Amino acid sequence: MSTHARPRIGEQHCQECLVSIGPERIREEFPTLWTKVHGKPLVYLDNAATTQKPRSVIEALTRYYTEENSNVHRGVHLLSQVATQAYESGRTKVRQFVNAAHDREIIFTRGTTEGINLVAQTYGRRALRAGDEVLISAMEHHSNIVPWQMICEEKGAALKVIPMNDAGELLLEEYRRLLTDRTKLVAVTHVSNALGTVNPIQDVIALAHGRGIPVLVDGAQAVSHMPVDVRELDCDFYAFSGHKLFGPTGIGILYGKAYLLEAMPPYQGGGDMISAVTFEKTIYNTLPYKFEAGTPHIAGVIGLAAAIEYVERVGRNQIAAYEADLLAYGTEILTAVPGLRLIGTARDKAGVLSFVLDGIHAHDVGTILDLEGVAVRAGHHCAMPVMKRFGLPATARASLAFYNTRADLDALAKGLHKVREVFA
Amino acid sequence: MSDLRELYQQVILDHYKRPRNFKKLDGATRQAEGNNPLCGDQITVYLHMDGDLIRDISFEGAGCAISQSAASLMTTVLKGKTKAEAGALFEKFHEMVTGGENAVDPMELGKLAVFCGVKEFPVRVKCASLPWHTMRAALEGQNGSVSTE
Ligand SMILES: Cc1ncc(COP(=O)(O)O)c(C=O)c1O
C-alpha cells in the first residue's frame, strides 16, 4: 500500500456537494478501503459497528506520538504544554461540532457506553428513589439499557419502555402516557443501530421537559450521519463515540448541561479530578476535569479532533443528503432481492439496512457475503430486545458511511443472489 | 467459491433443509439446552439412555445452517453408540473443526467429515460444536443449559 501526495478534499474549503467531490477522491483518503479480503476488494458495510479512519486521523495520531507525546495538565515543560494545548483545543472542536455553549460541558470518556454509565452512576444515583422510574425505548442498544437496569435495581426504581410499531417507530402517544411524576429521567437513542430509525428526538425532549424531566440522548449512530446541535435539541445529556465518527477507538464524548454536571458527584476518583487532597478531605476540580480522573486518552482526543475536521470539510449537510440518496437506492435494490425482508422501515431512517432472507440464517448470509468481500454484521446488534420485538434470532445489517457508493450496494445485492444460489 | 462450497457442502445444506430426528423425544431420559448467544443459535438435545447406551436421540432448535445440520448429522451417527464412543467422537469432531494439533483423518469421522471446511472459518466453529457440547451436557446429566460464550 503506497501513500499518495494527492490534495485532500476540502483543503480548498470546499462546501460544495459531496457528490461533486466524487466518492473516489474520498475513498482515496481511507487506506482500509483499499484492502482486499479473501482476494476480493473490500466492500465495507459495517459502519454502524465502527467506521474506517481517514489518513488525516492516522497522521494526527502518528504526529502526536512522534513529536508531541507528553502528559497533560501537569508539566511546566514545553511538550506538556503542547499536549495540553492540543487536548484542550480538541475539546473546543467537539464543543463547536455539537454547538454546546461551553467547553466545560464536554466530558471526554471512553465511548458512548461510558458516558451513559457515568450519568447513571452519578446523576441516576442522586436522583433515583424507590418507586421512581427511568424511561427508555424499545430500540435501545444494550449500553442504554443495562446501566439503567443496574442503578434501578440498586435504588428500587423501575425501568419503563416506550414501545414501537412494526416499522420500528416509537409510539409517541404511549410515550406521553408513560411520562409521570415517577419518571426521573428519559434515555432514548437518536438513531437506532439495529433498525436505522431516526427518532423524533426533539419531540421526545420537549414532552419530557414539559414535566421537568431531563433527557439523555444516545447519539452513537447519529453524529456520523447528520448535523447535531445540542442547544437546538435542548437535550440534557448527549453521548457518542469517536470510533463511529471516523476517529480512534477508546475516546468518546458526554455532553451535559453545565448546571446538571455541576450538581453531579464525581464518577471516578484520582488525579486530574481534584483541586486539593489531604487525607481528611478532597476538594474536587471544576468542570470538566471533575469527570476526567486519571491520564486521559490524549491521542484519542487529537485523533477525534482530526476526524471532526475531516467530517466538517466534507460537510454534514452534504453527508446527510448523499447518504439519503444511497439509503434510498439500497432500499430499492434490496427490496428487489427475492425472499428478502427489511427490518426497520421507519419513514425517517439513517444509514442502516437491516434484513432477513427467507429460510437462511443471518450468520450464513454474513459468512457468504464475507467470502465475496462484503463486510456486514450478522447477529442481534447488541439489541436483543429489538430482535425479540420482531420475533427474530438475528438479522444481517448493512450500514453506510459517506465513503460508500452505489457500487458497494450493487456488490451487496450480487452477494445476496449468491447466498440464495448456495441455499437454492 | 471453493471455500464456500467446502463449508456449505450439499450434505450440510440437505440436513439444514430436512433435519433428521428433529422432534421432542418421547421417553427421553435426559435432555439439555444449548445457546450460542452471539448469533442466536439454539438447540435442545434429547437422549433416551439405556444404561450407558444411547438408545435414541433427537433434537429441536433454530439457527444457522451449520449448527442445525451439525445437530441433525450428530443424531444420525450417535444412535446406538455408548457414552464412551460418543465422547470419543466428539473429541475427534472438535479436533477436526478447530484444526487442532492432533490432525484427524476425516475418514475416521465418516459422514461427519463434511464439516472439515469449518476449520477455515474460526467464527463458525462454535456453530458446529454447539450441538455436541449440548449432547455432552445431556449425557453427563447436567439438565440445564450450556452456552458457547
Ligand atoms: C446506538 C448505540 N449506542 C451505544 C453504542 C455503544 O457504543 P460504544 O461501544 O462505542 O460505547 C453503540 C455501538 O454499537 C450504538 O450503536
Side-chain angles (χ1 to χ4, degrees):
Chain A
M1 242 176 259
S2 63
T3 45
H4 316 210
R6 304 245 177 122
R8 311 250 166 100
I9 54 160
E11 265 174 5
Q12 49 297 39
H13 291 285
C14 132
Q15 279 301 313
E16 69 263 35
C17 177
L18 180 57
V19 185
S20 75
I21 300 166
E24 285 319 309
R25 285 281 297 287
I26 286 178
R27 295 173 73 86
E28 285 281 327
E29 299 287 327
F30 291 81
T32 344
L33 296 179
W34 319 338
T35 49
K36 291 197 163 180
V37 294
H38 306 293
K40 309 245 167 79
L42 172 65
V43 174
Y44 188 75
L45 292 170
D46 196 15
N47 294 288
T50 198
T51 53
Q52 302 303 340
K53 320 306 174 199
R55 215 158 29 192
S56 61
V57 168
I58 300 165
E59 283 166 5
L61 293 172
T62 310
R63 192 178 333 111
Y64 168 70
Y65 280 127
T66 47
E67 295 170 18
E68 296 166 357
N69 178 56
S70 201
N71 211 328
V72 291
H73 307 137
R74 286 168 170 78
V76 293
H77 60 81
L78 180 67
L79 279 194
S80 174
Q81 290 171 42
V82 171
T84 305
Q85 161 68 26
Y87 181 73
E88 289 305 328
S89 65
R91 195 187 309 275
T92 305
K93 177 127 301 198
V94 174
R95 193 254 300 157
Q96 291 162 342
F97 183 70
V98 296
N99 196 32
H102 311 288
D103 280 9
R104 67 178 195 281
E105 295 178 317
I106 304 299
I107 314 290
F108 289 123
T109 63
R110 279 195 300 127
T112 311
T113 303
E114 190 177 49
I116 297 170
N117 275 279
L118 188 159
V119 176
Q121 291 297 321
T122 60
Y123 185 87
R125 172 160 290 128
R126 280 273 164 97
L128 292 173
R129 305 262 178 284
D132 286 344
E133 292 174 0
V134 172
L135 190 49
I136 61 171
S137 88
M139 65 178 85
E140 298 309 315
H141 186 279
H142 295 162
S143 67
N144 202 24
I145 301 174
V146 185
W148 304 115
Q149 264 170 348
M150 288 164 65
I151 193 68
C152 282
E153 186 175 11
E154 189 181 313
K155 292 290 173 180
L159 193 62
K160 296 282 169 172
V161 182
I162 311 161
M164 61 180 162
N165 63 21
D166 291 341
E169 296 165 322
L170 288 186
L171 300 175
L172 286 182
E173 273 315 306
E174 298 289 326
Y175 171 54
R176 231 184 278 263
R177 262 194 289 280
L178 283 162
L179 286 170
T180 70
D181 293 342
R182 292 184 299 277
T183 316
K184 288 298 173 307
L185 188 93
V186 174
V188 170
T189 196
H190 196 165
V191 175
S192 156
N193 68 310
L195 304 167
T197 311
V198 180
N199 282 317
I201 207 71
Q202 209 146 4
D203 297 341
V204 169
I205 293 164
L207 284 166
H209 284 180
R211 306 189 69 116
I213 305 162
V215 179
L216 176 142
V217 179
D218 173 349
Q221 295 296 341
V223 285
S224 63
H225 299 300
M226 60 188 73
V228 170
D229 181 329
V230 292
R231 274 189 286 177
E232 192 187 320
L233 291 176
D234 199 27
C235 55
D236 300 278
F237 300 101
Y238 196 96
F240 59 103
S241 300
H243 72 99
K244 294 184 197 283
L245 185 63
F246 317 99
T249 54
I251 187 70
I253 285 92
L254 174 69
Y255 158 81
K257 284 182 179 165
Y259 83 93
L260 289 168
L261 294 174
E262 298 282 8
M264 282 152 56
Y267 179 44
Q268 294 179 330
D272 263 350
M273 56 75 72
I274 53 88
S275 60
V277 178
T278 65
F279 286 117
E280 288 70 40
K281 184 173 172 52
T282 291
I283 300 168
Y284 300 132
N285 206 338
T286 50
L287 290 178
Y289 312 109
K290 182 170 89 177
F291 292 107
E292 293 180 2
T295 299
H297 189 5
I298 306 163
V301 170
I302 289 168
L304 173 64
I308 289 176
E309 253 168 52
Y310 186 89
V311 168
E312 285 176 339
R313 283 207 304 265
V314 178
R316 281 190 285 172
N317 287 314
Q318 286 79 356
I319 289 174
Y322 175 78
E323 286 187 8
D325 174 74
L326 208 54
L327 189 65
Y329 180 73
T331 305
E332 190 186 311
I333 63 168
L334 288 193
T335 310
V337 175
L340 185 144
R341 182 157 63 97
L342 280 174
I343 307 300
T345 48
R347 266 155 300 176
D348 198 1
K349 276 184 71 173
V352 169
L353 292 158
S354 225
F355 59 90
V356 290
L357 274 183
D358 245 2
I360 309 176
H361 192 274
H363 217 156
D364 296 312
V365 174
T367 292
I368 297 172
L369 289 177
D370 179 53
L371 287 169
E372 296 299 307
V374 181
V376 299
R377 178 145 176 208
H380 54 58
H381 317 296
C382 297
M384 288 169 102
V386 174
M387 298 297 113
K388 193 166 171 205
R389 164 68 178 75
F390 286 94
L392 299 165
T395 71
R397 178 189 72 187
S399 52
L400 309 173
F402 60 78
Y403 44 61
N404 288 122
T405 60
R406 287 186 172 212
D408 291 341
L409 293 165
D410 290 337
L412 170 65
K414 192 161 159 250
L416 289 172
H417 286 292
K418 167 99 24 117
V419 173
R420 284 178 39 83
E421 256 171 53
V422 170
F423 278 81
Chain B
M1 196 66 185
S2 68
D3 277 356
L4 189 55
R5 283 295 172 202
E6 235 156 75
L7 181 63
Y8 293 103
Q9 298 198 22
Q10 278 312 323
V11 177
I12 290 181
L13 293 169
D14 177 55
H15 276 260
Y16 172 58
K17 289 179 201 160
R18 297 187 305 114
R20 323 293 197 266
N21 305 307
F22 188 88
K23 61 184 177 199
K24 191 169 184 240
L25 194 62
D26 290 332
T29 53
R30 285 179 198 172
Q31 73 181 69
E33 202 185 297
N35 285 291
N36 182 349
L38 200 67
C39 51
D41 292 337
Q42 179 264 316
I43 270 165
T44 306
V45 172
Y46 301 94
L47 294 172
H48 180 177
M49 299 301 292
D50 185 354
D52 257 0
L53 189 77
I54 300 173
R55 185 165 292 286
D56 206 356
I57 175 170
S58 73
F59 82 104
E60 286 180 313
C64 67
I66 305 299
S67 70
Q68 301 303 302
S69 63
S72 172
L73 270 152
M74 177 183 79
T75 60
T76 65
V77 298
L78 289 186
K79 204 175 292 192
K81 294 272 193 306
T82 64
K83 193 174 162 180
E85 285 167 340
L89 211 48
F90 180 21
E91 292 297 316
K92 284 204 182 107
F93 182 81
H94 197 259
E95 278 295 313
M96 176 181 72
V97 296
T98 55
E101 284 168 21
N102 309 318
V104 180
D105 180 358
M107 295 303 285
E108 287 181 53
L109 278 155
K111 49 188 169 179
L112 295 176
V114 294
F115 289 99
C116 72
V118 172
K119 67 173 180 296
E120 305 297 333
F121 298 83
V123 295
R124 307 305 301 274
V125 170
K126 282 176 183 174
C127 310
S129 49
L130 177 67
W132 290 84
H133 282 292
T134 311
M135 176 278 298
R136 190 166 63 182
L139 261 187
E140 283 164 11
Q142 316 164 351
N143 274 344
S145 126
V146 299
S147 163
T148 56
E149 291 303 295

